[in-house]
Amino acid sequence: MMSGKKAANGFLAVGSGLILIAVILLTVIEQCVFDLSFFRSEYAKLDTVSVTGMPEKDLMVTTAELLTYIRGDKANLEIRAEIKGQERQVFNQREIVHMADVQRLYLNTRMARNAGLAVLLLLLILLRVSSGKKYFRSWAGGFLAAAVLFLCVFGTVGIAVSQDFQVFWDSFHDLLFTNDLWLLDPKTDILIQMVPEHFFFDLVVRILAFFGSAVLMLAFVAAGIRIIYQKV
């Protein structure tokens, strides 16, 4: 009976740890992706104004509207701006359809993150009821086990990113999209001129760094809890 209860506590603790870390990851991705200051610094670094032929003001307004669209707060991508001295529609039909796919991906991810928060709360309540006085120690142990698993996985991702980012990035798109609309022409398509491969390399590195730091900090907290409650 006790072994069954211990197994249930372990399942609840590790499960809550995995979901918490997944929620952290999705939140970090969201914060990094929608950080306009990051776009501004990358545009300066990559000389995006010259590449696109757009004045900086138009470039930043276009970026802000693009992010608003991805969030689902803008009905379409009908955005006009000055490009190489002429006012025109910024994105062509292929880019617009691809960004509709990106919007759906983001909205589904956000829904999954919010559902994860609800499941996390439920698991923590069940763990509290099941483990009693050992609640904090049980949670900390489960989180540490989940953290080791996630950090191993993302360490592998980090190695893949550093060794051959293009293979990683192409595989990422093949996994998430059912079409090839993400294959854009950097000579003609403004979207890929705004956010080329190097932009995404910097973005992925930033996400991995923030996510890894957050998980490590929580792991230290969990380790401290294990020490404090080791006799419980």
Side-chain angles (χ1 to χ4, degrees):
M1 186 72 172
M2 287 298 293
S3 61
K5 185 175 182 180
K6 185 176 180 180
N9 287 345
F11 172 80
L12 292 170
V14 174
S16 65
L18 288 172
I19 293 175
L20 174 58
I21 293 173
V23 167
I24 292 171
L25 173 60
L26 295 178
T27 302
V28 167
I29 291 174
E30 182 179 48
Q31 293 302 311
C32 288
V33 167
F34 291 100
D35 183 0
L36 270 177
S37 65
F38 175 72
F39 280 85
R40 186 176 286 106
S41 65
E42 285 293 303
Y43 290 161
K45 175 181 176 181
L46 301 174
D47 194 19
T48 307
V49 168
S50 297
V51 174
T52 60
M54 298 173 66
E56 183 177 3
K57 180 181 178 181
D58 284 23
L59 181 60
M60 293 310 302
V61 168
T62 298
T63 302
E65 293 197 35
L66 177 63
L67 296 179
T68 300
Y69 171 78
I70 294 173
R71 283 196 183 99
D73 296 329
K74 180 177 170 62
N76 56 59
L77 274 180
E78 297 297 319
I79 304 172
R80 299 187 66 83
E82 180 184 329
I83 300 176
K84 296 180 180 178
Q86 294 186 339
E87 184 179 315
R88 47 159 276 198
Q89 168 69 21
V90 177
F91 302 116
N92 59 39
Q93 189 59 33
R94 184 182 181 89
E95 293 168 301
I96 289 172
V97 176
H98 173 56
M99 290 313 300
D101 290 340
V102 172
Q103 183 196 64
R104 280 191 292 273
L105 176 63
Y106 166 71
L107 293 177
N108 289 336
T109 301
R110 186 174 66 183
M111 188 183 305
R113 191 267 311 275
N114 293 340
L117 285 170
V119 174
L120 173 62
L121 179 60
L122 175 61
L123 291 181
L124 291 176
I125 291 173
L126 291 174
L127 179 62
R128 180 69 180 88
V129 172
S130 176
S131 59
K133 293 181 180 180
K134 295 182 178 180
Y135 170 70
F136 290 107
R137 190 170 188 272
S138 297
W139 174 84
F143 181 83
L144 287 172
V148 169
L149 176 61
F150 259 87
L151 290 176
C152 286
V153 170
F154 275 83
T156 303
V157 172
I159 293 172
V161 168
S162 64
Q163 289 186 340
D164 195 331
F165 181 76
Q166 185 173 354
V167 171
F168 162 79
W169 196 237
D170 289 350
S171 300
F172 172 81
H173 281 79
D174 288 336
L175 178 66
L176 293 180
F177 299 106
T178 58
N179 54 55
D180 65 353
L181 294 174
W182 57 274
L183 294 171
L184 300 173
D185 187 347
K187 294 180 181 178
T188 58
D189 297 331
I190 294 295
L191 181 60
I192 196 64
Q193 292 175 357
M194 290 172 60
V195 286
E197 183 179 303
H198 195 90
F199 173 95
F200 284 111
F201 175 82
D202 290 346
L203 178 62
V204 170
V205 169
R206 193 170 191 245
I207 289 170
L208 290 174
F210 285 177
F211 170 69
S213 298
V215 173
L216 281 174
M217 283 190 292
L218 276 176
F220 281 122
V221 171
I225 290 174
R226 291 281 291 182
I227 293 171
I228 293 171
Y229 289 92
Q230 61 182 335
K231 294 183 179 180
V232 176

